[in-house]
Amino acid sequence: MSPQKPKVAGIIAIGNEILSGKVTDLNATHLIQQFRELGVEAKRVAIIPDEIPVIRDQVREFSASFDIVITTGGVGPTHDDVTIEAIAAAFNRPIVPSPELEAVIREYFKDDFKDAWLRMARIPEGTELVWRDGMPFPITKLENVWILPGEPSVMRKKFAAIREDFRQTPIHVRRLFTTWEEGDLAELLEKLEAETGVAIGSYPTYEDRDYKVMITLESRDAKILESATRRLRCSIPRELLVRED
């Protein structure tokens, strides 16, 4: 039996405030790091405005292209929170009220409840409400699209509650730091990658550091990775190899 193909992810950060520079997006970077730890490769990140046609088209494209799609932002109670409407349009689903969500919202806000909060109880038909222990509200999911809030602390808590749902065979990484020039390494690294199948990257630094190039080697097969790392280590003159981790 052939091994299961690893899943890939796309991340869509939604918000005019990001594109106008009023807010720095922290969510995409966090999700990329989390996916990497889980063995999922993030293939693309899009930062788009709070515009229904743009969100609709981006979600539709990402859903067809990637196994996992995460959206962040645009799910609050105000007029510019249009993510839900856009995702419904992406899948040609009507927006329907969720009595379950309405009950949760009323219970959560109690005496501070305002009718505006009911906007958050409207969801695309067929949306799955994913409950996790300790979460006052469910995570919403439609097809392969997970719909998360944009506020970073809340987004992180919600993703932490579902992160194990995405775990794959881990991606192992080794790093070597050298004072060799990147141009001198190019042919060696290209040949090594072709012969081993290990993904190899080289990243020069122009700051005042003890190395000139960081080389990364990545593979889901730990034995192959170790063999490739050993070959590279032996190919770099000892006096030019600063360290490895």
Side-chain angles (χ1 to χ4, degrees), residues 23 92 115 117 135 201:
V23 171
N92 297 312
D115 285 343
W117 291 113
M135 300 296 295

Side-chain angles (χ1 to χ4, degrees), residues 138-224:
I139 295 96
T140 50
K141 175 178 180 280
L142 182 59
E143 302 289 344
N144 61 338
V145 179
W146 298 78
I147 308 164
L148 300 184
E151 202 287 316
S153 64
V154 179
M155 193 286 299
R156 291 185 181 205
K157 289 178 182 177
K158 288 208 166 191
F159 186 80
I162 57 174
R163 75 187 299 276
E164 291 304 317
D165 292 13
F166 307 121
R167 186 171 291 283
Q168 304 286 296
T169 303
I171 302 169
H172 305 285
V173 183
R174 296 296 299 272
R175 298 176 180 86
L176 281 72
F177 300 82
T178 177
T179 54
W180 226 355
E181 297 289 349
E182 190 176 36
D184 296 327
L185 285 161
E187 185 176 347
L188 168 64
L189 299 183
E190 182 178 5
K191 180 180 179 182
L192 185 61
E193 183 174 83
E195 291 178 353
T196 65
V198 169
I200 300 177
S202 64
Y203 308 97
T205 180
Y206 302 103
E207 299 178 1
D208 186 17
R209 297 186 176 180
D210 62 350
Y211 68 93
K212 292 183 178 179
V213 179
M214 177 182 71
I215 307 166
T216 63
L217 302 92
E218 301 174 304
S219 176
R220 295 180 190 273
D221 189 313
K223 290 183 178 179
I224 291 177

